[in-house]
Amino acid sequence: MNIDDLLAQSASQKETPNMSFVVPSSWSQGRTVYGGLSAGMLYAAARPYVDEARVMRSNSTNFVGPLMAETPFSIDVEIVREGKNVSQVMVRAIQNGKTCVVSQICFGTSRESKIRVDNQEKHNMLAPKKGNFIPPIPKVTPKFLRNIDLSIQSGGIPFTGRKTSHYHGWMRFKEIRGKVTDAHIISIIDAWPPTLLQMLKWPAPASTVSWNVEFIHPHRELKPTDWFAYQAETRQAAGGYGHTEANIWDSHGVLIAISRQTVAIFD
């Protein structure tokens, strides 16, 4: 299934609250659904519950347990609070009676303000013409990467014993049929492997425990063929956990999102 199909299904949750969803194995990451897609589907389900004038300001997602591909699950949307300017929404993916993924999403409307601080962080990477990242290695390369182009500019392929712990590069979906939405953006940000995997010399499991993304509005309308620039740095790692921060820019070099993750490494 195309990314548009999966997000569109989630967006229909409000009309059919009891419907179930199934993600095909082509979007799997090991035995589970690719985490970025899980978060994207939860956001797409929540979006119709909130006034369109209120845009997503932050999205905090916890991966509580495995959300299995090829297995039906439901999405539960709860309006925690509807304030004058801000809406707080809790969304859950529930499979076999267990909560697997939880997102708390903050939507907020723009207001008149005398405060303005422009972003000063830039990148100097040239956009690629095609992806050049991880080769399709059976039982190593996640299947969901078949749907995404990644182009590494700096950093190493996982499990190559590198001393680096960062990724700089570009990303985009291989096929988007319609308009690029915030659901697409959150779905693709998590496509990169954890920054720490390149330091290992052999394959080992890793999973995101918590993930917070802050979205910067307004931003330009994005084209389906646009590349997104990505730079992730490891802030600290010890005791089997790593903490990373990343910036995401549009194809014009404008910062559109800030991402922070806590990743568990089982080496």
Side-chain angles (χ1 to χ4, degrees):
M1 295 179 70
N2 178 275
I3 181 66
D4 300 316
D5 300 325
L6 292 163
L7 297 178
Q9 278 191 359
S10 296
S12 65
Q13 190 274 349
K14 184 178 180 182
E15 300 174 0
T16 316
N18 296 322
M19 72 181 299
S20 62
F21 306 88
V22 177
V23 174
S25 60
S26 58
W27 284 95
S28 65
Q29 185 174 13
R31 63 190 181 125
T32 65
V33 175
Y34 157 51
L37 177 60
S38 300
M41 291 181 69
L42 293 189
Y43 164 76
R47 176 68 271 189
Y49 285 83
V50 180
D51 188 280
E52 291 184 1
R54 300 186 178 195
V55 296
M56 177 166 53
R57 302 291 174 175
S58 69
N59 186 312
S60 182
T61 298
N62 280 21
F63 299 93
V64 181
L67 181 65
M68 309 301 291
E70 302 288 353
T71 305
F73 66 94
S74 61
I75 297 178
D76 177 72
V77 179
E78 175 190 357
I79 307 299
V80 179
R81 186 177 188 274
E82 193 84 37
K84 182 179 179 181
N85 297 294
V86 173
S87 299
Q88 299 282 358
V89 183
M90 188 77 73
V91 199
R92 299 173 177 84
I94 301 171
Q95 189 176 70
N96 296 326
K98 297 180 180 179
T99 297
C100 301
V101 185
V102 178
S103 291
Q104 182 171 342
I105 308 172
C106 173
F107 297 86
T109 187
S110 296
R111 303 184 304 278
E112 291 290 334
S113 175
K114 297 178 181 179
I115 302 299
R116 182 183 177 96
V117 179
D118 293 326
N119 167 64
Q120 301 298 322
E121 293 194 57
K122 307 292 183 182
H123 68 84
N124 58 3
M125 302 183 297
L126 296 177
K129 294 182 178 180
K130 61 180 181 179
N132 66 349
F133 196 62
I134 303 175
I137 304 172
K139 297 184 179 181
V140 175
T141 306
K143 292 182 179 179
F144 79 86
L145 284 177
R146 300 171 187 173
N147 305 289
I148 295 172
D149 283 327
L150 295 180
S151 179
I152 186 172
Q153 303 282 309
S154 179
I157 292 175
F159 315 125
T160 54
R162 296 284 291 264
K163 293 183 179 180
T164 55
S165 62
H166 69 270
Y167 278 122
H168 296 176
W170 297 83
M171 56 188 172
R172 69 179 179 184
F173 283 109
K174 289 185 176 179
E175 180 187 4
I176 296 179
R177 293 192 293 262
K179 181 181 178 181
V180 179
T181 66
D182 283 354
H184 289 92
I185 296 172
I186 196 169
S187 296
I188 200 170
I189 291 175
D190 193 38
W192 293 82
T195 55
L196 299 174
L197 291 189
Q198 61 192 281
M199 303 182 75
L200 299 177
K201 295 182 179 180
W202 50 82
S207 61
T208 298
V209 178
S210 63
W211 178 32
N212 179 263
V213 188
E214 297 172 4
F215 292 81
I216 298 172
H217 291 277
H219 58 68
R220 288 182 174 90
E221 184 173 336
L222 305 169
K223 299 178 181 178
T225 55
D226 282 352
W227 288 92
F228 296 95
Y230 177 87
Q231 292 189 344
E233 311 289 341
T234 301
R235 294 296 304 273
Q236 189 268 352
Y241 295 89
H243 304 273
T244 64
E245 292 185 352
N247 289 334
I248 298 90
W249 294 265
D250 67 13
S251 60
H252 300 278
V254 177
L255 190 70
I256 59 173
I258 303 168
S259 173
R260 297 177 178 86
Q261 284 181 288
T262 299
V263 179
I265 305 291
F266 301 92
D267 62 330

